[in-house]
Amino acid sequence: MESLSQELPDPFTDANRPLYEVKANLFKGLAHPVRVRVLEVLAHAETDLSVSDLLTDTGLEASHLSQHLSVLRRHNLVLAERRGSLVFYRLAYPQVADLLAVARQLLVEVLETTQQNLINTVGLRPLVSTDAASRAAVTR
């Protein structure tokens, strides 16, 4: 089992950077729907997944998947391991799956709150805009 080395500098190793910058860099790694989808697939997998498994599970083209896996490796979100001619991926830390689960819970709560706010507006009287009031005055 040969671990693939990272070619780019690790954005998390500079001890002089403030924690909020390091956190922002972590979120940059998450800042694309394809990368979130790849992480979700890996989070729900019972074993490491090969690139072909990820291609099947995500429906992406190989070059597109490769670019996103590179970003995920660079941000320390996934680990890659070469086994013979195949490359397998897994989450770098189990907390990545926890982070995705918390994000989902937060999103559901935000959507429920938004839905409740919309429901609460159903019984309100319609507002008359100044344009509508002006038009009504002109037509009288």
Side-chain angles (χ1 to χ4, degrees), residues 81-102:
E81 186 177 295
R82 184 174 298 282
R83 299 179 195 160
S85 62
L86 299 176
V87 178
F88 288 82
Y89 284 87
R90 68 179 174 272
L91 295 180
Y93 302 94
Q95 294 91 335
V96 174
D98 297 340
L99 180 62
L100 293 170
V102 168

Side-chain angles (χ1 to χ4, degrees), residues 67-133:
Q67 291 171 358
H68 287 290
L69 287 169
S70 175
V71 172
L72 291 170
R73 282 193 317 269
R74 191 168 53 247
H75 286 88
N76 293 325
L77 294 166
V78 298
L79 295 174
E81 186 177 295
R82 184 174 298 282
R83 299 179 195 160
S85 62
L86 299 176
V87 178
F88 288 82
Y89 284 87
R90 68 179 174 272
L91 295 180
Y93 302 94
Q95 294 91 335
V96 174
D98 297 340
L99 180 62
L100 293 170
V102 168
R104 181 184 178 103
Q105 290 171 341
L106 173 62
L107 181 58
V108 167
E109 190 170 328
V110 167
L111 291 172
E112 286 172 349
T113 300
T114 302
Q115 182 181 24
Q116 188 58 50
N117 288 339
L118 289 171
I119 289 168
N120 292 341
T121 64
V122 170
L124 296 176
R125 290 183 332 150
L127 295 176
V128 177
S129 71
T130 55
D131 290 341

Side-chain angles (χ1 to χ4, degrees), residues 22-35:
V22 176
K23 283 182 186 178
N25 220 354
L26 169 70
F27 285 107
K28 285 179 187 176
L30 296 167
H32 195 283
V34 167
R35 293 195 290 269

Side-chain angles (χ1 to χ4, degrees), residues 51 55 59-69:
V51 172
L55 286 169
L60 296 170
E61 293 181 20
S63 61
H64 196 196
L65 177 62
S66 176
Q67 291 171 358
H68 287 290
L69 287 169

